[in-house]
Structure formats: structure tokens, C-alpha cells
Amino acid sequence: MSLFLSKLFPLFFYPLGLSSLLIAIALASLLWRSRRSKNISIASKFVNLFRKSRFAVILLSIALSILFLSSNELISKGLVRSLEWQYLPNENLPQVEAIVVLGGGTRPRIAPRPWYEVNEAGDRILYGALLFKQGKAPLMVVTGGRADWYGEGGNPESEDMAAIAEFIGVPSTQILQESQSFNTRDNAVNTKQILDPRGINKVLLVTSALHMPRAMEIFRKVGFETIAAPTDFLSVNNENNKGWALILDLLPNAEALKNTTNAIKEYIGLIVYQFAGWA
């Protein structure tokens, strides 16, 4: 139930969910008022209602403004960059005792998929495997479970990542799986329980750059000596914000809405985790 609630409540703080809620309240208000209007056409009813119901008009205006601004590429890039650029890649990462790769970048092996697949965040396991092959650590920990009722279900994410890492060339004997976690704090706590008996505390943490600020706070809180190894950057240096490209960036964009939502998710997560004492 707690996992369900943690997925449900934030939806109403994200741009699409908040806008949908405001629109629903506005329409409910209009329908309630329409019951008092009789013997006129539906079109006339709504015209009159919009004229008289300032409350509904305000809610609809706010909803449309939220959708427009959150799907603006410039605003989206600014929010994303404010998180991603807190931890920029270090070309001279030190050798550590283990590489910890967080889940969220794979899809399970469910028909008709012929094998495990990666999504946008699939750079996590690819970069983790690269760091291992560069000799940054003798051990790799892949983390992440899956709830049967949420999303596609299937095998734990750690199994996906272990198979992909082994395919790339990481020996299976050097891969540890943490398969019981459903959020970043569980990742940290469970990984700590796995590595403590081995006397391992200094780790490279591999996750998406957008997710790194929250992940670093949590892993440090549970006692790890953590070095950031971010990947999967959405905001880069050579973005073109001039001329025709600027005009397109000002128009609503589904990808921008998605990135804005993910950035807001991270900020909400930071606030909630700090309030709970987890970060």
C-alpha cells in the first residue's frame, strides 16, 4: 500500500496531473451551475456559464498555463540543468571498492521482446560496465526490484542489468544483485547490507545525471563514501537556442513536458526524503 500511495500522490503535483485535476474541478463547477439553467441550448448554457463562473475560468487558465509552461523547451532545459549539472563527470575517477548501478534503465524479458531491453536511462548499466572494464573497481552491484502489480511486472531490474553487463564482458562472478528495492532509499539501504559484510564502503555511484543529486544524498546518509559517476545527460553544452530553433523551443513539446515532470519529481523526492530524514 505504501508503494501504491508513493506512486499515486505525486501524480497530482506533476504538470499533467495537476492540470487535469484543475480542469476536472472547473468542469464539475460548470456542470453544477448548468443544472440551474433550463430551456436553453447546451451551447448557450456554456457561454453563459463561462461569463458568470470566474472560478472555473481561473482554474482553466491556470491549467493551460501550467501545461504551456511545463512543455516549453527552454523552461524544461533550465529545470533539468539545475539538477544535472550539480554533478558533472570526472575524467579522472579514482579506483574504488565497488561500482553501484541504480535501476530504472531496463525493460524485462517479456514476450514478444526477444531479450532484456534498455530505455532512455539504459546508459546507467552501459556506463557502469564501461567503468568496470576500465578497472575502476573489482566488483559491480546492480540494484532494483519490480512489483508484480506495477507497470509490466516481470523479473527484477537487477536481473536485466546483470545479464546486460555480463554480455558486455563483466564476469558474472564479479556482479552482485540487489533485487528487493522499489525506490532509491531501498537501493541504498539494501546495498549497504550487501557490502558491509565484505568491508566495502567506498563506491562509485552510477545513475542518470537528473537523479544523481537525490541519490548522492541518500547513499551518503546511509554511510557510504560515495563518488558520483553520472550518465544519461539530457542537457548538454552545444544546444542551439537561436533563430528557428528558438521558435520551436517556445512551442509546446511532449518531450519537454516529460523532462519537466521528471525534474519536478526529483525536487519533490528531495523534499520528501529530507523531511523523512532519508537524505
Side-chain angles (χ1 to χ4, degrees):
M1 179 60 74
S2 60
L3 177 61
F4 170 74
L5 294 177
S6 71
K7 301 295 183 183
L8 174 65
F9 287 138
L11 294 177
F12 299 105
F13 292 93
Y14 301 155
L16 185 59
L18 180 57
S19 298
S20 298
L21 179 62
L22 293 175
I23 291 171
I25 295 172
L27 291 178
S29 172
L30 290 173
L31 289 173
W32 177 260
R33 284 176 172 269
S34 71
R35 296 174 61 185
R36 303 177 183 179
S37 304
K38 298 179 180 180
N39 302 323
I40 59 175
S41 68
I42 295 177
S44 297
K45 277 185 179 182
F46 273 95
V47 169
N48 291 334
L49 287 172
F50 272 109
R51 286 175 178 172
K52 296 178 181 179
S53 182
R54 293 182 61 188
F55 175 71
V57 171
I58 290 172
L59 289 184
L60 290 173
S61 299
I62 294 173
L64 290 174
S65 297
I66 290 172
L67 285 175
F68 181 80
L69 293 174
S70 60
S71 60
N72 181 292
E73 192 74 26
L74 297 179
I75 293 175
S76 175
K77 287 176 181 177
L79 276 174
V80 166
R81 186 173 299 172
S82 70
L83 287 162
E84 288 191 338
W85 286 28
Q86 291 184 35
Y87 292 95
L88 294 174
N90 182 353
E91 295 181 358
N92 299 306
L93 287 170
Q95 289 189 323
V96 295
E97 299 163 310
I99 298 166
V100 179
V101 184
L102 302 189
T106 60
R107 299 187 180 96
R109 187 178 183 178
I110 297 176
R113 293 178 186 140
W115 203 56
Y116 308 103
E117 296 184 358
V118 296
N119 57 29
E120 172 70 30
D123 301 337
R124 299 181 185 187
I125 186 57
L126 301 180
Y127 187 47
L130 174 64
L131 291 174
F132 180 90
K133 297 188 76 173
Q134 289 176 343
K136 297 300 182 181
L139 194 67
M140 175 185 286
V141 183
V142 290
T143 72
R146 278 196 179 97
D148 292 335
W149 59 268
Y150 184 66
E152 297 175 331
N155 53 272
E157 287 184 272
S158 61
E159 181 181 316
D160 305 348
M161 293 192 291
I164 293 169
E166 190 175 348
F167 174 77
I168 294 173
V170 180
S172 60
T173 54
Q174 305 306 113
I175 302 173
L176 298 178
Q177 293 191 43
E178 183 286 295
S179 60
Q180 302 301 313
S181 57
F182 299 112
N183 57 48
T184 308
R185 183 175 186 270
D186 287 348
N187 289 155
V189 171
N190 295 348
T191 301
K192 187 71 172 171
Q193 293 173 354
I194 291 172
L195 294 182
D196 267 356
R198 299 169 180 263
I200 295 176
N201 189 59
K202 187 175 183 180
V203 301
L204 284 178
L205 182 61
V206 181
T207 189
S208 299
L210 191 69
H211 181 229
M212 186 61 79
R214 181 159 58 105
M216 285 290 288
E217 292 291 332
I218 295 165
F219 270 74
R220 285 172 174 167
K221 186 72 173 182
V222 301
F224 278 112
E225 182 182 349
T226 313
I227 300 168
T231 186
D232 183 29
F233 280 84
L234 300 173
S235 179
V236 295
N237 275 325
N238 66 340
E239 290 170 337
N240 188 358
N241 293 322
K242 298 179 181 179
W244 296 113
L246 177 59
I247 295 175
L248 292 176
D249 283 348
L250 294 174
L251 298 176
N253 181 298
E255 188 69 18
L257 177 61
K258 174 185 174 183
N259 292 339
T260 298
T261 301
N262 287 335
I264 292 173
K265 174 184 175 182
E266 290 303 319
Y267 277 116
I268 291 175
L270 276 168
I271 294 170
V272 171
Y273 278 31
Q274 288 174 353
F275 181 79
W278 296 347

